[in-house]
Amino acid sequence: MKQIYGRPKILKEAHFHYCPGCGHSIVNRLIAEVVEEMKLRDKIICVAPAGCGMLLYNYFDIDTLESAHGRGAAVSTGIKRVLTDSLVFSYQGDGDLAAIGTAEGFHAANRGELITVIFVNNGVYGMTGGQMAPTTILRQVTTTCPAGRNPDSAGHPVKICEVFSMLDGTSYLERVAVNKPAAVIQAKKAIAKAFQHQINKTGFSLVEILSPCPTNWKMDPIRSCKWIDEVMVKEFPLGVIKEVTC
Amino acid sequence: MSGNAALGEAAVLAGCTCYFGYPITPQNELTEYMAKRMAEVPGGVFIQSESEIAAINMVLGASVAGARAMTSSSSPGISLKQEGISYLAADELPAVIADMVRGGPGMGNISPAQSDYLQATRGGGHGDYKTIVLAPASVQELADLVPVAFDLADEYRNPVIILGDGMLGQLMEPVSFDHIKPPAEFPKDYILNGAKGRPSRMIHSLLFDTKLEEEHNWKLYRKFQRIEQNEVRFETFMLEDAEMVVIAYGTSARIAKGAIKRLRQENLKVGLIRPITVWPFPTEIIQETANRVENFFVFEMSTGQLIEDVKLALGGKRHIHFYGRPGGVIPTPIELYRVTSRHYYQAVREKSQ
């Protein structure tokens, strides 16, 4: 009998700690599937973040280092410059990449480091309890903008893909979501494509993934998935933001 | 050759293949030297990073990948690197960090100072950890200690700091690299290079379970105890018959030596203990000396940091004189000669009373 679906071997036999309806578990699984299908286990190194995604090493059967908050792109740079034939990816959240680690991500992108950033954007600081993130939507309520994000004092949502697209070192930037089956399939394709760009040495690649956080959005999982389409996508349009032919 | 350039050449000869740096005076010659030199080294990596924080994290990445990696900076930049140094210590990863100390706090100035002693010897960043700290006093000694720093980092899998100052970095002196041997082999069974034909590895410092975190802290502590037992280095100068002993390190020890030579011409029996490792601190030799010497004289280019370790070593039992010049002021041997002789005669007077 032909098996058409199963648990990727790259995923260890561990239970995800993520909240119900969280997008991280989907993203973790997609990465595991891509690593397995592209046969990358022997050469891949994962840099895990601070934040909800930090326990990646409990789930992935691949070499994994946990980085300090925001420093994933700098650590990945160090690894990749030594192991030039490896495949290095940094898994980062919105606070990690778009606030405390903006400099590290921006300059790794600008140098055209041959690394991939998997950027999970859920518009809040999840692990610390739902504070405002640089990508929080205007008027969205969080614990540190209880009256809704006000641009006069808190600025506007940061569009990492669009900002990075201006940098000559970047070769592939796509924004996807994991809120419905078709989007999940597209997200997987984007991750595979970003890795391929790294393998082909065309430049820095990044996949931004709009991901639900029902716990901190104070919504049920179904409502969260709808909210991505109704609100989040309007601020963060999906699609390939930049692709340099490799 | 300048101290900064000598540091770079010694690092290359010691097998350093990765240098990550961010410009700051007075250590720029090292970054510039490495920019040129790393291009000649097989597999050599040089990156002028966007910040000191990025540089130390690139060092961490290169170290995880199994390379001998270093970065360098001066006081304000070292403050920024402390985050990464704490992670290196927690992850038990080797790295060498050179600190060419300048006057501070804040922006301070670009003149030589020894005001980062406590930052270097007490861990410096957050958490329970230590860094091995080597404090050379000449360009030759700087070159000699660089391979030692890399070996210690690999042996104990811990960050090692070379604590110099603007004087040492900028000083031009003849230097020989002839005796630097090719780097020793250390087991690299912890590195991340793709889990080819082996179980995957993970390196992390997050330990949610308080018992595991406590265990990890005690494990590091036991390593630091081993370092304290095995790696203390110091130099003594005219100590045998000394009636007063100067304790100074790095540039100030060099100034002290000049002063002591002059004092000896006048038959003032002053000696020197110069810590070469300021952590681990040479407590034992100070305690041994205290069995027969009543007066110690701490001299440093700060308002008093090394003196804390001397006080701890002496446990309140002996008299400690102090002379400090902070803010980037470099005292002359004549100045130190005058101050030391004043304290010497004061001690003699007190003894006769």
Side-chain angles (χ1 to χ4, degrees):
Chain A
M1 197 165 50
K2 191 185 171 200
Q3 186 183 343
I4 56 164
Y5 198 71
R7 186 185 184 87
K9 287 194 193 71
I10 298 298
L11 276 188
K12 293 180 190 167
E13 293 286 338
H15 292 292
F16 285 131
H17 72 286
Y18 304 117
C19 304
C22 170
H24 274 299
S25 50
I26 301 172
V27 179
N28 287 187
R29 185 189 167 100
L30 293 181
I31 292 169
E33 286 179 2
V34 170
V35 170
E36 192 156 303
E37 285 162 23
M38 292 178 79
K39 299 186 171 54
L40 296 172
R41 185 184 178 275
D42 288 357
K43 59 186 285 191
I44 199 163
I45 296 143
C46 167
V47 177
C52 294
M54 76 198 313
L55 295 174
L56 283 179
Y57 44 80
N58 286 341
Y59 311 133
F60 287 158
D61 177 29
I62 56 175
D63 278 5
T64 306
L65 167 81
E66 166 205 275
S67 139
H69 194 35
R71 317 297 175 221
V75 171
S76 300
T77 296
I79 298 173
K80 183 70 186 217
R81 289 289 188 111
V82 174
L83 304 169
T84 48
D85 291 331
S86 64
L87 193 133
V88 182
F89 78 96
S90 174
Y91 189 101
Q92 297 181 254
D94 37 40
D96 195 290
L97 184 68
I100 195 168
T102 310
E104 287 79 3
F106 182 96
H107 286 279
N110 190 48
R111 286 190 303 269
E113 295 295 341
L114 299 174
I115 60 171
T116 302
V117 173
I118 305 295
F119 170 42
V120 179
N121 177 2
N122 60 13
V124 283
Y125 283 76
M127 197 176 219
T128 46
Q131 294 83 8
M132 184 182 72
T135 53
T136 296
I137 306 291
L138 291 185
R139 288 174 291 283
Q140 184 183 341
V141 173
T142 74
T143 57
T144 50
C145 52
R149 182 175 186 170
N150 177 355
D152 293 344
S153 60
H156 294 261
V158 176
K159 296 178 180 68
I160 283 288
C161 280
E162 285 78 356
V163 172
F164 281 22
S165 71
M166 303 302 289
L167 304 172
D168 289 341
T170 56
S171 79
Y172 182 73
L173 305 166
E174 181 171 357
R175 186 179 289 120
V176 295
V178 286
N179 62 333
K180 53 192 177 189
V184 170
I185 291 166
Q186 184 56 35
K188 183 175 170 183
K189 279 184 192 158
I191 293 167
K193 195 135 192 209
F195 285 172
Q196 196 58 52
H197 270 257
Q198 183 176 160
I199 292 164
N200 294 354
K201 301 186 191 295
T202 45
F204 178 94
S205 53
L206 178 145
V207 181
E208 177 173 344
I209 303 170
L210 305 185
S211 173
C213 180
T215 300
N216 289 304
W217 291 357
K218 318 280 185 229
M219 295 176 200
D220 64 50
I222 293 169
R223 181 82 202 96
S224 299
C225 288
K226 284 187 181 150
W227 192 78
I228 288 178
D229 277 340
E230 290 164 8
V231 180
M232 223 176 163
V233 164
K234 295 202 171 66
E235 187 67 42
F236 299 108
L238 302 183
V240 176
I241 310 296
K242 179 176 178 181
E243 178 166 19
V244 174
T245 16
C246 48
Chain B
M1 207 171 191
S2 78
N4 284 327
L7 204 175
E9 184 56 29
V12 170
L13 295 174
C16 172
T17 55
C18 295
Y19 174 88
F20 307 98
Y22 185 84
I24 183 171
T25 308
Q27 60 83 57
N28 294 314
E29 296 78 11
L30 173 56
T31 312
E32 289 163 1
Y33 189 86
M34 293 309 242
K36 196 169 58 196
R37 196 69 173 86
M38 275 299 155
E40 301 160 358
V41 173
V45 177
F46 170 87
I47 296 180
Q48 180 175 329
S49 62
E50 60 272 24
S51 70
E52 287 89 349
I53 298 173
I56 192 74
N57 280 285
M58 289 172 188
V59 165
L60 192 147
S63 177
V64 160
R68 279 198 158 179
M70 79 174 288
T71 184
S72 63
S73 193
S74 181
S75 311
I78 294 291
S79 294
L80 291 172
K81 287 185 197 294
Q82 293 299 345
E83 175 195 86
I85 296 171
S86 171
Y87 277 78
L88 283 160
D91 291 345
E92 294 197 79
L93 292 170
V96 172
I97 302 115
D99 181 2
M100 293 301 170
V101 180
R102 56 189 243 181
M107 191 79 88
N109 56 33
I110 57 170
S111 294
Q114 295 185 314
S115 43
D116 292 356
Y117 179 92
L118 288 174
Q119 186 193 45
T121 57
R122 266 57 176 177
H126 62 283
D128 273 338
Y129 76 94
K130 299 276 191 184
T131 54
I132 299 171
V133 188
L134 301 167
S138 68
V139 174
Q140 183 64 58
E141 191 183 27
L142 174 60
D144 294 347
L145 286 178
V146 170
V148 174
F150 278 101
D151 284 350
L152 289 173
D154 269 335
E155 187 173 347
Y156 293 99
R157 282 175 50 191
N158 201 68
V160 176
I161 290 180
I162 296 172
L163 188 67
D165 58 50
M167 174 81 126
L168 191 64
Q170 306 280 324
L171 199 64
M172 300 282 273
E173 283 187 309
V175 55
S176 160
F177 301 102
D178 294 346
H179 53 288
I180 298 182
K181 290 187 278 265
E185 289 288 320
F186 289 89
K188 295 280 179 182
D189 51 2
Y190 59 92
I191 66 166
L192 306 183
N193 56 356
K196 191 175 183 180
R198 60 162 171 81
S200 57
R201 295 176 183 148
M202 53 185 178
I203 296 180
H204 60 103
S205 59
L206 173 79
L207 294 160
F208 268 132
D209 185 326
T210 52
K211 278 186 192 141
L212 290 179
E213 180 65 43
E214 185 186 27
E215 210 172 281
H216 181 54
N217 279 231
W218 283 123
K219 181 188 165 211
L220 294 178
Y221 174 78
R222 287 191 293 274
K223 175 166 80 176
F224 299 138
Q225 276 188 314
R226 281 205 308 283
I227 295 171
E228 280 183 317
Q229 277 158 17
N230 302 329
E231 305 303 341
V232 170
R233 289 164 185 255
F234 60 88
E235 184 206 354
T236 60
F237 178 67
M238 309 202 98
L239 189 64
E240 295 72 25
D241 61 343
E243 287 168 7
M244 176 185 267
V245 171
V246 180
I247 300 177
Y249 72 97
T251 293
S252 55
R254 200 166 168 166
I255 298 167
K257 248 189 204 178
I260 289 168
K261 281 179 193 158
R262 181 177 280 263
L263 291 159
R264 285 282 176 170
Q265 283 169 7
E266 296 175 12
N267 288 324
L268 302 193
K269 290 183 174 167
V270 180
L272 173 75
I273 296 175
R274 177 174 75 90
I276 295 171
T277 51
V278 284
W279 194 88
F281 191 71
T283 303
E284 239 169 76
I285 181 68
I286 293 172
Q287 286 172 344
E288 278 169 24
T289 309
N291 289 334
R292 53 174 190 80
V293 175
E294 179 63 36
N295 283 278
F296 290 82
F297 178 68
V298 175
F299 166 52
E300 55 185 316
M301 283 145 64
S302 81
T303 55
Q305 301 194 11
L306 164 70
I307 192 171
E308 290 193 9
D309 279 333
V310 176
K311 280 181 184 169
L312 284 170
L314 293 174
K317 288 193 188 100
R318 293 287 178 268
H319 192 73
I320 303 172
H321 306 259
F322 175 74
Y323 188 61
R325 295 295 304 268
V329 175
I330 312 162
T332 60
I334 296 284
E335 176 184 347
L336 197 67
Y337 151 79
R338 290 198 190 107
V339 178
T340 315
S341 60
R342 194 169 70 229
H343 285 291
Y344 187 90
Y345 284 121
Q346 184 196 334
V348 171
R349 263 202 316 278
E350 277 168 12
K351 202 178 173 187
S352 62
Q353 275 168 5

